[in-house]
């Protein structure tokens, strides 16, 4: 058997491939990225990029030592049989904050909005919508704690999703407070769970000492049952005055702007850097456990990485999961058309002339040519498969007269056009 791609990865395929689904179609990824670009850049976000691998220490300190990502899902980078302490990035935010600090972005006007898209890597148990290499669109804002920034970030996310045609989506919004609120909540959870230690999964026993809030995010059914039985109080009840006022203001803006959301008093994100506003975007067709997008505020992260303090907030969605949701909602991508002009020689000696005419036509149109001669009937069939708008035939008469015999594939209109007038003719027919 030929070599296969690694488990948990996908090829992005050309349109028309057998076994094509929306989440493996290269053009669909492009469509999502273009839509996100349009919405985010309209709001002033600048496109950036960071390396696909980073210091393991960055991810450990950024994402957090008690998270599944750091404990179980890191891809270590080996080279020359050694590893220099690098890992493939499991998410974008820690690397972007590093780039902020290293690049001196503090001098740029705040709030500074940036976005990136690219592959992320997590060695997860592979299942539908859960890959080892997946792709995120990531939006981050630096330099402001204003609740306006939080509300705008959520509004932009909703706008991207709407422009993509998604219907059954819900923003679940909560707050995980300031560090002291979290400490109080963790103390409460520790007291609550400790008498039931023997019923917790091994992972959650470990979470109880490191970061009890993580227990609420457990994938173990036994843990979830215990959580339900104990009637755990939500994080929102533990918010301090400042965090509560901030959260109320975020909600006020969203309501005022007509951005729909559901309050989720017990939101727990899968990464440790969050504080205050946190949210996820869910879709009925993809399953309650799989968020399409996660985001929140992370004001302490820069300091945690050893840098100067700078407040930050952002979100990232997984393009594959978004495409699964679009498929579930029956969203159709705009059909990409074939070449505007498809040139075919009627005899072998005119193939180079058809090629040359196509190359020149690329100055003003999307033009392709056939690499071998064909009879008109085959040329029309071939042009139809390629969804060409115009097919242009070049035989010995056309070659002698410097013309192309054009036929419109949809209307059947026919016209002999001198090569020198092709540009004007195609432009006119486009209007
Ligand atoms: P996250 O919730 O870990 O947050 O991931 C964001 C999104 O990436 C998820 O909602 C999901 O759509 C997608 N995703 C995550 N893991 C996988 C996977 N194994 N397979 C397919 N898709 C996946 C973050 O990554 C944060 N950096 C978001 C953020 C940005 N917070 C602030 N700024």
């Amino acid at each position: 058997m030929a070599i296969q791609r690694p488990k948990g990865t996908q090829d992005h395929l050309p349109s028309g491939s057998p076994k094509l689904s929306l989440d493996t179609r290269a053009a669909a990824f492009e469509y999502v990225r273009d839509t996100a670009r349009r919405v985010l850049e309209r709001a002033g976000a600048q496109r950036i990029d960071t390396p696909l691998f980073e210091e393991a220490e960055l991810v450990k300190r950024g994402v957090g030592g008690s998270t599944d990502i750091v404990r179980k899902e890191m891809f270590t980078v080996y080279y020359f049989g050694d590893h220099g302490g690098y890992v493939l990035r499991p998410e974008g935010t820690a690397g972007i904050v590093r780039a902020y600090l290293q690049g001196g972005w503090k001098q740029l006007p705040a709030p500074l909005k940036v976005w990136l898209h690219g592959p992320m890597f997590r060695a997860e148990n592979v299942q539908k919508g859960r890959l080892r290499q997946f792709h995120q669109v990531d939006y981050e804002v630096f330099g402001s704690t204003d609740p306006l920034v939080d509300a705008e970030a959520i509004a932009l996310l909703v706008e991207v999703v709407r422009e993509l045609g998604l219907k059954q989506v819900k923003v679940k919004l909560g707050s995980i407070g300031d560090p002291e609120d979290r400490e109080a909540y963790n103390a409460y959870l520790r007291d609550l769970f400790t008498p039931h230690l023997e019923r917790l999964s091994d992972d959650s026993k470990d979470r109880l000492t490191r970061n009890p809030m993580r227990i609420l995010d457990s994938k173990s059914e036994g843990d979830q049952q215990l959580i339900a039985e104990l009637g755990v109080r939500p994080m929102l009840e533990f918010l301090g005055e400042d965090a509560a006022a901030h959260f109320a203001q975020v909600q006020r803006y969203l309501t005022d702007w007509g951005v729909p959301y559901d309050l989720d008093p017990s939101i727990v994100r899968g990464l440790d850097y969050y504080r205050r506003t946190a949210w996820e975007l869910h879709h009925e067709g993809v399953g309650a456990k799989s968020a399409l997008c996660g985001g929140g505020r992370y004001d302490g992260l820069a300091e945690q990485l050893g840098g100067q303090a700078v407040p930050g907030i952002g979100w990232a969605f997984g393009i594959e999961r978004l495409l699964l949701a679009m498929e579930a909602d029956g969203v159709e991508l705009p059909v990409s058309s074939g070449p505007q002009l498809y040139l075919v020689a009627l005899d072998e000696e005119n193939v180079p002339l058809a090629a040359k005419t196509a190359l020149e036509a690329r100055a003003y149109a999307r033009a392709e040519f056939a690499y071998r001669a064909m009879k008109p009937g085959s040329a029309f069939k071939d042009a139809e498969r390629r969804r060409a708008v115009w097919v242009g035939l070049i035989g010995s008469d056309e070659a002698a007269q410097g013309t192309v015999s054009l036929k419109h594939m949809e209307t059947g209109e026919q016209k002999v056009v001198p090569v020198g007038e092709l540009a004007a003719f195609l432009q006119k027919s486009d209007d």
Side-chain angles (χ1 to χ4, degrees), residues 244-256:
H246 188 270
F247 187 51
Q249 194 57 45
V250 173
Q251 294 181 76
R252 227 167 279 140
Y253 287 131
L254 289 175
T255 307
D256 188 33

Side-chain angles (χ1 to χ4, degrees), residues 10-31:
Q10 287 183 331
D11 298 313
H12 297 173
L13 308 166
S15 301
S17 308
K19 300 185 189 168
L20 195 69
S21 53
L22 205 57
D23 65 324
T24 58
R25 186 163 151 196
F29 281 78
E30 204 64 2
Y31 179 67

Side-chain angles (χ1 to χ4, degrees), residues 91 93 122 124 129 131 136 140 269 273-274 291-293 314 316 318:
E91 57 102 49
T93 311
R122 297 182 193 177
E124 297 211 53
L131 296 161
Q136 282 186 347
E140 312 285 356
R269 297 278 298 116
Y273 48 61
Y274 292 109
L292 300 189
C293 178

Side-chain angles (χ1 to χ4, degrees), residues 175-383:
S175 172
I176 47 186
D178 286 316
E180 53 279 17
D181 308 337
R182 262 169 92 159
E183 251 167 58
Y185 191 51
N186 272 332
Y188 157 74
L189 292 175
R190 215 170 268 131
D191 288 348
L192 189 70
F193 283 111
T194 303
H196 306 278
L197 191 65
E198 75 293 347
R199 284 186 59 192
L200 287 174
S201 65
D202 286 346
D203 275 346
S204 286
K205 282 189 184 115
D206 187 57
R207 291 176 183 129
L208 193 62
T209 39
R210 289 168 185 260
N211 186 358
M213 251 181 105
R214 291 246 70 76
I215 297 175
L216 305 181
D217 203 24
S218 167
K219 290 176 190 126
S220 141
E221 268 180 36
D223 289 349
Q224 285 304 335
Q225 200 179 335
L226 181 62
I227 292 164
E229 279 173 33
L230 292 178
V232 179
R233 287 169 63 200
M235 174 69 229
L236 266 192
E237 290 183 15
F238 288 75
L239 293 194
E241 224 173 279
D242 290 351
H246 188 270
F247 187 51
Q249 194 57 45
V250 173
Q251 294 181 76
R252 227 167 279 140
Y253 287 131
L254 289 175
T255 307
D256 188 33
W257 300 341
V259 178
Y261 66 89
D262 290 344
L263 200 62
D264 182 348
S266 48
I267 195 158
V268 186
R269 297 278 298 116
L271 305 95
D272 278 352
Y273 48 61
Y274 292 109
R275 65 171 67 168
R276 297 200 172 184
T277 321
W279 66 90
E280 285 182 349
L281 188 78
H282 287 265
H283 185 277
E284 285 169 18
V286 182
K289 284 240 167 286
S290 301
L292 300 189
C293 178
R297 188 165 269 293
Y298 49 84
D299 295 343
L301 179 54
E303 283 160 292
Q304 220 164 293
L305 300 178
Q308 259 187 22
V310 57
I313 182 169
W315 49 254
F317 63 73
I319 302 183
E320 288 84 354
R321 284 198 197 160
L322 217 69
L323 289 172
L324 288 173
M326 283 165 69
E327 198 151 53
D329 270 356
V331 175
E332 305 245 337
L333 292 193
V335 182
S336 60
S337 69
Q340 200 189 359
L341 178 62
Y342 185 54
L343 286 162
V344 186
L346 296 173
D347 38 54
E348 284 305 322
E349 63 199 51
N350 282 313
V351 171
L353 178 59
K356 185 167 177 239
T357 311
L359 262 61
E360 285 168 2
R362 285 175 192 165
Y364 51 83
R366 186 174 149 197
E368 295 179 30
F369 62 93
Y371 292 79
R372 61 180 177 84
M374 289 179 214
K375 295 213 162 62
S378 312
F380 296 145
K381 265 196 206 127
D382 194 27

